[in-house]
Amino acid sequence: MDIPKPSRERLVQLIRILDNCENEFVSSAELEAKSGWPSNTIRKDISCIGNNSTHSRGYGVKTLRETISKRLGLDITRNFCIIGLGRLGSAFLNYGGFERDGFTLVAGFDSSVNRIEVLSSPVPLYPAFKMPELITRRSIEMALLCVPADSAQKVCSSIITAGVRAIINFAPIILEVPKAVSVRNVYVVDELRALSAALYANDASNDPLDRN
Amino acid sequence: MDIPKPSRERLVQLIRILDNCENEFVSSAELEAKSGWPSNTIRKDISCIGNNSTHSRGYGVKTLRETISKRLGLDITRNFCIIGLGRLGSAFLNYGGFERDGFTLVAGFDSSVNRIEVLSSPVPLYPAFKMPELITRRSIEMALLCVPADSAQKVCSSIITAGVRAIINFAPIILEVPKAVSVRNVYVVDELRALSAALYANDASNDPLDRN
DNA sequence: CGGTGTGAATCTATTCACAGCA
DNA sequence: TGCTGTGAATAGATTCACACCG
């Protein structure tokens, strides 16, 4: 646990920004313009990963991207699966961009055998009962959890037992997981709420209800 | 800007946890078990919004939920729209849960007239060129941006001009927006990366490459 | 010069520990 | 007694400012 967590998050995003840079070199000031984070912060983040820049020309885009990627362990290819193939889950099935970023979509699972037969998919689909075995056998470390809220916790526990260590959860509940397992919640209503709260907090008209 | 941002984020999630509480009262220790955050932190967060608890029984679930909601401005109903009705965008069209949480889905937009005619939807769908006018006329403050990466920035700028102040961006690019506009990026590959980096950082086997 | 890299200072958030209420 | 609420202490992140390198 060497790089501060906020820096890690920014560095992950920085990769995406670097991928959109046309020039060979980029300065921290330019990165500030593209990201909104102060150039100071960006330089400090980058210094965490021990980059050696070409100084007065800025950072070499390609080198920097590789250094970040390596230092965060993103050069490792990891297997993942999609669980729950409703509208949302099946939307991801056909998104082709995962491989390019080092993530191999190994399988899709759904409790409805009918749905599995009907869907067209570039990756194999399986009924839910085969999930534990396949997770173990194919070394699936990560999962996109796209099942309905009422089965999410149950499914979650079973895949963790089978070996999954990281979950992106789209179900609108807080999953209870062991500390060793990482979860990121992507719940659109919470995002709307967070934005709504930000709008409210930013509106000058809503002066603090002066507590104490 | 009264409540610290991390507290705000936690409070938003807390609402969800409270919605899943069966009992009438809940203690900070129980909330710790459900959320993973230390009870100290939770109490401090709650004290920010000036709650008056019933002490030795814990917090009244209903009261607390309402206080948070009010204090964060989440009792205000806000209009939003979905832009881009591909697999992802159209998946949200039919999700019925937004209203319940105070968000009114007013419209869907897509550049393909054909797609608009084919899709069945509980809310009206419009061709893209009508977007600016409708955003202004219907007071749409928030948008789910589900268009492809290469048109995202252009669409984003135009809806901001029309009056949108908060965006959930699903396109894999960093949007450049004025400071007054809030953006939350939901990009699944970045989530996978963040998880992968977390796995890597947690793995004891990956000892720091000791930078000084 | 035009930039990075980085200790030191500041600001922010979390944790502690205990007084005080029901 | 059980649990909240909160100042005070600690830990953590950001910002500053300047030395130093190509």
Side-chain angles (χ1 to χ4, degrees):
Chain A
M1 201 66 73
D2 205 359
I3 305 167
K5 221 188 308 174
S7 297
R8 273 218 313 262
E9 299 274 330
R10 281 191 299 266
L11 287 167
V12 167
Q13 291 229 40
L14 215 50
I15 292 179
R16 180 160 311 285
I17 294 175
L18 291 171
D19 284 340
N20 287 334
C21 282
E22 292 115 4
N23 302 335
E24 197 182 343
F25 293 93
V26 67
S27 70
S28 60
E30 291 171 288
L31 291 174
E32 166 168 351
K34 284 173 196 275
S35 68
W37 308 309
S39 62
N40 272 319
T41 305
I42 295 172
R43 286 209 304 283
K44 187 136 237 164
D45 289 345
I46 291 175
S47 87
C48 282
I49 58 166
N51 189 72
N52 39 356
S53 89
T54 17
H55 282 252
S56 63
R57 285 193 292 171
Y59 300 97
V61 172
K62 218 176 142 224
T63 324
L64 180 56
R65 196 211 179 282
E66 269 166 29
T67 312
I68 295 175
S69 182
K70 197 164 294 172
R71 191 63 182 69
L72 295 182
L74 297 177
D75 50 345
I76 301 165
T77 294
R78 297 192 192 263
N79 291 339
F80 78 104
C81 66
I82 298 176
I83 304 175
L85 302 172
R87 288 171 186 281
L88 190 67
S90 59
F92 296 126
L93 270 185
N94 293 277
Y95 171 75
F98 295 118
E99 292 295 331
R100 182 172 9 96
D101 286 307
F103 298 101
T104 306
L105 175 53
V106 169
F109 300 99
D110 199 284
S111 55
S112 153
V113 176
N114 181 48
R115 191 175 282 164
I116 287 166
E117 283 166 355
V118 165
L119 280 170
S120 81
S121 158
V123 295
L125 306 182
Y126 303 95
F129 73 87
K130 291 206 175 157
M131 211 163 51
E133 187 236 320
L134 272 154
I135 285 172
T136 310
R137 184 151 59 79
R138 304 282 328 258
S139 310
I140 296 175
E141 289 181 290
M142 314 172 87
L144 264 55
L145 193 61
C146 306
V147 303
D150 53 11
S151 48
Q153 180 64 59
K154 211 180 119 217
V155 174
C156 165
S157 305
S158 84
I159 63 179
I160 289 171
T161 307
V164 166
R165 300 193 296 143
I167 296 169
I168 301 183
N169 170 41
F170 292 86
I173 62 157
I174 309 282
L175 297 172
E176 296 185 35
V177 299
K179 269 203 261 337
V181 175
S182 305
V183 175
R184 294 179 74 98
N185 296 299
V186 179
Y187 187 46
V188 175
V189 167
D190 279 9
E191 300 291 328
L192 285 173
R193 281 183 179 150
L195 285 172
S196 182
L199 288 181
Y200 183 78
N202 288 339
D203 281 351
S205 52
N206 295 303
D207 277 337
L209 319 168
D210 51 60
R211 347 153 258 109
N212 59 319
Chain B
M1 203 66 73
D2 207 358
I3 305 166
K5 220 186 312 174
S7 296
R8 272 217 314 261
E9 299 273 331
R10 281 191 298 266
L11 288 167
V12 166
Q13 291 229 41
L14 214 50
I15 291 179
R16 179 160 313 286
I17 295 175
L18 291 171
D19 284 340
N20 289 333
C21 281
E22 291 116 4
N23 302 336
E24 196 182 343
F25 293 94
V26 67
S27 70
S28 59
E30 292 170 289
L31 291 174
E32 166 168 352
K34 284 174 196 274
S35 67
W37 309 308
S39 62
N40 272 320
T41 305
I42 295 171
R43 286 209 304 283
K44 188 137 237 168
D45 289 345
I46 291 175
S47 88
C48 281
I49 59 165
N51 190 72
N52 39 356
S53 91
T54 17
H55 283 252
S56 62
R57 285 192 294 169
Y59 300 97
V61 171
K62 217 175 143 226
T63 325
L64 180 55
R65 197 212 178 281
E66 270 166 30
T67 312
I68 296 176
S69 182
K70 197 163 295 171
R71 191 63 181 73
L72 296 183
L74 296 177
D75 50 345
I76 301 165
T77 294
R78 296 191 191 264
N79 292 339
F80 77 105
C81 66
I82 299 176
I83 305 175
L85 302 172
R87 288 172 187 282
L88 189 66
S90 59
F92 295 126
L93 271 185
N94 293 279
Y95 170 76
F98 295 117
E99 292 295 330
R100 183 173 6 98
D101 287 308
F103 297 100
T104 306
L105 176 53
V106 169
F109 299 99
D110 199 285
S111 55
S112 152
V113 176
N114 181 48
R115 193 175 281 164
I116 287 166
E117 283 166 356
V118 166
L119 280 170
S120 80
S121 159
V123 296
L125 306 182
Y126 304 96
F129 73 87
K130 292 205 176 158
M131 212 163 51
E133 187 236 320
L134 273 153
I135 286 172
T136 310
R137 184 151 59 79
R138 305 281 331 256
S139 309
I140 296 176
E141 289 182 291
M142 313 172 88
L144 265 56
L145 194 59
C146 306
V147 303
D150 53 12
S151 48
Q153 180 63 59
K154 211 180 119 217
V155 174
C156 166
S157 305
S158 83
I159 62 179
I160 289 172
T161 307
V164 165
R165 299 194 296 144
I167 296 170
I168 301 182
N169 170 41
F170 292 87
I173 61 158
I174 309 283
L175 297 172
E176 297 183 35
V177 298
K179 271 204 259 337
V181 175
S182 305
V183 176
R184 294 180 73 99
N185 296 299
V186 179
Y187 187 45
V188 176
V189 167
D190 279 9
E191 300 292 328
L192 285 172
R193 280 184 180 150
L195 285 172
S196 181
L199 288 181
Y200 183 78
N202 288 340
D203 280 351
S205 51
N206 296 304
D207 276 338
L209 320 168
D210 52 57
R211 350 151 257 111
N212 48 326

